[in-house]
Amino acid sequence: MLTKERTLEVEHQATTMSISTIAKQLQANLGQALTAHLAGLADSRQIGRIGRGEHRPQPSTAKRLREGYKAVSMIAELYDWETAKAWLFGTNTRLDDQAPVEVLGSATTDEEFTDVARAAKQFASADG
């Protein structure tokens, strides 16, 4: 079970880590194309440039990367990155039967990001 303390640590990391580190970690664990899709980017090469610090993403892209990192890290913490990757593609009743990657890739409101985080926490719970 994902503890409240570890959840808070993951949330803190997602907030304080550099965006290049987040992009690198997501790219290493999810792949460049999936990370770009999660961030709402059409050109997956931008993830590599962000990860190398060559490109500063738009605020909305950075938010999607941070929130995506938070969600998948909670799942990877309890299971593994392959499970987190599969979770991104599965339809989710907490997200109106949309896949989390689709919600993240187009999210613009705090409510959408909160819904994804809540769905990830639910999945990573003992009942998940």
Side-chain angles (χ1 to χ4, degrees):
M1 182 171 107
L2 187 66
T3 65
K4 182 172 179 71
E5 292 79 20
R6 187 59 190 135
T7 299
L8 291 173
E9 287 176 32
V10 168
E11 290 172 346
H12 179 72
Q13 288 174 347
T15 303
T16 59
M17 285 172 45
S18 72
I19 199 64
S20 64
T21 300
I22 287 174
K24 279 191 279 193
Q25 286 202 0
L26 288 173
Q27 181 178 358
N29 290 293
L30 301 177
Q32 187 165 302
L34 178 53
T35 302
H37 189 64
L38 175 149
L41 297 171
D43 182 0
S44 62
R45 294 174 295 180
Q46 286 186 25
I47 293 300
R49 290 192 286 272
I50 293 167
R52 290 188 301 273
E54 297 170 0
H55 176 71
R56 187 165 181 84
Q58 294 292 323
S60 59
T61 301
K63 176 86 170 171
R64 290 182 189 118
L65 287 168
R66 288 187 187 283
E67 293 295 325
Y69 174 83
K70 183 189 331 179
V72 297
S73 292
M74 285 189 271
I75 294 168
E77 179 80 20
L78 187 61
Y79 299 102
D80 55 36
W81 283 96
E82 285 303 311
T83 302
K85 190 186 241 185
W87 176 83
L88 282 170
F89 285 107
T91 58
N92 193 299
T93 57
R94 290 182 173 261
L95 303 173
D96 294 327
D97 291 325
Q98 295 179 78
V101 71
E102 297 300 329
V103 175
L104 283 167
S106 63
T108 57
T109 68
D110 287 340
E111 182 181 359
E112 290 168 308
F113 293 119
T114 299
D115 288 347
V116 172
R118 192 174 294 132
K121 286 177 191 176
Q122 186 270 333
F123 185 85
S125 74
D127 300 329

